Each structure stands twice: as structure tokens, then as C-alpha cells.
Amino acid sequence: MRLRAGKTGSGTGAARMVAQAITTARMCGAAGKIMVREDSAYGNNRVVRACINARVEFSFAGDQEPTGAAGHRLHR
């Protein structure tokens, strides 16, 4: 598990960090489902794309958008 710094703008580089964490988990033998959970700082298009490309499930926590789309989940 890796935690972000918690400062404003700490979502910078989040997609790379998520991709690296997924790769590390798989290299260590994770064979089951991988769930990536992010706070609102990580809720950006690059992180979503990294999760989709890696074929993992993901969930965002944070403020709800006016459209009602607060989180996403990818199913294989």
C-alpha cells in the first residue's frame, strides 16, 4: 500500500503510481481481483485510464458530481 502526500495537487503523478502499484502486486503473485481505491485527489481521467488499461476494479471516494457519478467500477 502506498499513500499520497495529502497536500493540494498531490494527485500529480497518480496514474503512474497506480500503474506501478498494480504491476508490483502482480509481480508479487497477486492472481485474484485487484481493487484500486482512491480519494478525490486521484479521481482524474489519467487514473481511470490506468485502471481500465490494467483491467482492475476501481472506486473513488469524494464529493458527488451533479450528474451523480461519484464512483466507477470495471467488471471483467
Side-chain angles (χ1 to χ4, degrees), residues 35-39 51 57-61 70-74:
M35 166 65 83
V36 176
R37 298 193 53 146
E38 304 111 6
D39 65 12
C51 291
E57 295 182 354
F58 56 99
S59 173
F60 297 125
H72 305 277
R73 187 172 179 181
L74 174 67

Side-chain angles (χ1 to χ4, degrees), residues 4-75:
R4 66 182 186 84
K7 301 174 186 169
T8 302
S10 61
T12 302
R16 184 185 62 225
M17 189 169 122
V18 166
Q20 288 172 347
I22 294 166
T23 299
T24 299
R26 289 189 172 140
M27 288 175 57
C28 290
K33 290 182 183 178
I34 295 176
M35 166 65 83
V36 176
R37 298 193 53 146
E38 304 111 6
D39 65 12
S40 58
Y42 276 21
N44 63 56
N45 291 337
R46 290 180 180 148
V47 174
V48 170
R49 181 60 44 206
C51 291
I52 291 171
N53 289 342
R55 297 191 179 278
V56 298
E57 295 182 354
F58 56 99
S59 173
F60 297 125
D63 295 333
Q64 195 169 26
E65 297 292 321
T67 59
H72 305 277
R73 187 172 179 181
L74 174 67
H75 298 279

